[in-house]
Amino acid sequence: MSDLKVVRWKRHGQDRLYVNLPDGSAAAWADCRTGKVTILVEPYRHEALRLLRPLLTRPSPASRSSPAVKPKPRTTDGRKVVPELPPLTPPDDLALNRPGESLRCLLAEKGPSPAQRVLSWLLRRESEWDSWRMGLAGERRVGGELQRLSRSGWRVLHSVPLPRDVDIDHLLIGPGGVFSINTKRHFGKSVWVGDEMAKVSHGPPQPYARKSKAEAGRVQAVMERYADIPVQVQPVIVFVGVTELTKAATQFTVRVYREREVSALGPLSGVLDAGQVDALYAVARHRRAWLSA
């Protein structure tokens, strides 16, 4: 008997079937409207397809009535127009960014002086910049964990800038696909993550999951625009320093880890070949590709 379980998820206009592993994480999922199946854990491909195919034999009524997708621009001979990026220069090369680069630059430019930091420490007075420094420490720790995956064919970028002073903490590209990673440091806190929101030590809801999914969508748009490689970008949230991490049973669309658990992405494979990884990485490291994301 299979250890995999099929769960239907209908929310926010989406209708999906998830094939879950015994630990509750998704091995694959299918869009009930289009019938498209996305394999997340390659060793379970055949078993996941065996379970999903009987459930996807008929398109749902919503799929038959859904509006047509707007076609992508094409040349007169039918080929898709793929915009070209200018030659990569050192100022535009995001591969040179260190983990937490955006926060480090912000602290260096606008943060307190060394004398002000010493005074705050002596007076035991909290500074408005303390949260930025803790965030920087968290991004550096997660960045170190991600860098270890390079031996398995993964590429990682840090502090990928988006318009309106927003950035993606880490972007991971490799054999298992593309992952948009958001780091949250809540030292000594307990965290619960739901479909859209998270709560830190039973505090007010924080839109962590919703924002992570939005970031993944922006990454996917850039990849498809400049690399012309269809890829499902998966959102990830990594919590640093938490004492307890709980994920809602209905949370299937965002991967949630502690900092040491992010290495679970390393063994994933079968989504991209080496040439596709190189092509996506070449686009992702180009700062100008993200200016209109």
Side-chain angles (χ1 to χ4, degrees):
M1 181 179 294
S2 173
D3 291 331
L4 302 182
K5 181 180 180 181
V6 179
V7 178
R8 191 159 195 168
W9 181 84
K10 297 179 69 174
R11 192 165 296 184
H12 312 298
Q14 303 292 331
D15 188 359
R16 297 178 177 180
L17 291 170
Y18 282 87
V19 180
N20 291 340
L21 299 171
D23 64 0
S25 61
W29 66 273
D31 189 319
C32 295
R33 290 184 169 85
T34 64
K36 179 181 177 182
V37 177
T38 300
I39 304 297
L40 304 177
V41 183
E42 187 62 27
Y44 291 94
R45 172 183 290 274
H46 297 298
E47 182 65 10
L49 291 175
R50 184 186 69 80
L51 294 171
L52 289 171
R53 278 170 180 158
L55 304 175
L56 296 171
T57 53
R58 296 181 181 178
S60 67
S63 67
R64 292 195 294 269
S65 61
S66 58
V69 177
K70 184 178 180 180
K72 297 178 185 282
R74 296 184 180 275
T75 61
T76 55
D77 61 0
R79 292 181 293 107
K80 177 183 171 182
V81 176
V82 180
E84 294 185 2
L85 290 165
L88 186 63
T89 60
D92 286 332
D93 191 354
L94 299 179
L96 303 178
N97 279 3
R98 293 171 289 178
E101 185 76 10
S102 297
L103 287 176
R104 186 187 65 80
C105 292
L106 182 63
L107 284 166
E109 180 182 355
K110 299 181 179 180
S113 66
Q116 289 173 320
R117 292 199 298 270
V118 171
L119 180 61
S120 295
W121 180 78
L122 291 173
L123 297 177
R124 301 184 183 277
R125 186 171 57 196
E126 291 187 2
S127 166
E128 61 179 320
W129 297 99
D130 288 346
S131 62
W132 297 96
R133 284 194 291 270
M134 289 189 293
L136 175 59
E139 289 190 34
R140 285 174 172 171
R141 187 166 181 180
V142 173
E145 293 290 331
L146 293 172
Q147 204 63 47
R148 296 166 59 184
L149 303 182
S150 60
R151 67 191 72 173
S152 301
W154 291 86
R155 308 288 188 89
V156 60
L157 295 169
H158 310 286
S159 294
V160 177
L162 296 174
R164 294 180 291 277
D165 296 325
V166 178
D167 74 336
I168 298 168
D169 295 340
H170 315 280
L171 187 61
L172 187 66
I173 305 171
V178 180
F179 297 87
S180 173
I181 301 174
N182 198 308
T183 298
K184 298 296 180 183
R185 187 181 187 275
H186 293 292
F187 188 78
K189 306 289 186 179
S190 62
V191 176
W192 174 87
V193 183
D195 294 345
E196 300 289 325
M197 300 290 180
K199 289 188 176 183
V200 180
S201 292
H202 307 289
Q206 303 291 337
Y208 291 164
R210 186 175 66 203
K211 287 186 175 181
S212 292
K213 287 185 281 189
E215 285 184 359
R218 297 174 80 173
V219 172
Q220 184 166 338
V222 170
M223 298 290 96
E224 292 181 347
R225 181 182 184 189
Y226 291 103
D228 195 24
I229 297 175
V231 62
Q232 184 75 29
V233 179
Q234 298 184 54
V236 179
I237 308 176
V238 182
F239 290 94
V240 179
V242 300
T243 57
E244 182 180 357
L245 180 59
T246 305
K247 185 175 69 170
T250 55
Q251 174 54 270
F252 301 122
T253 55
V254 179
R255 290 175 178 261
V256 180
Y257 300 112
R258 298 172 189 255
E259 65 269 28
R260 289 291 185 180
E261 297 169 344
V262 75
S263 59
L265 297 172
L268 300 181
S269 63
V271 176
L272 301 173
D273 60 35
Q276 291 172 322
V277 171
D278 289 342
L280 290 171
Y281 181 69
V283 168
R285 66 188 291 188
H286 209 304
R287 185 183 302 272
R288 296 194 185 187
W290 304 97
L291 294 180
S292 60

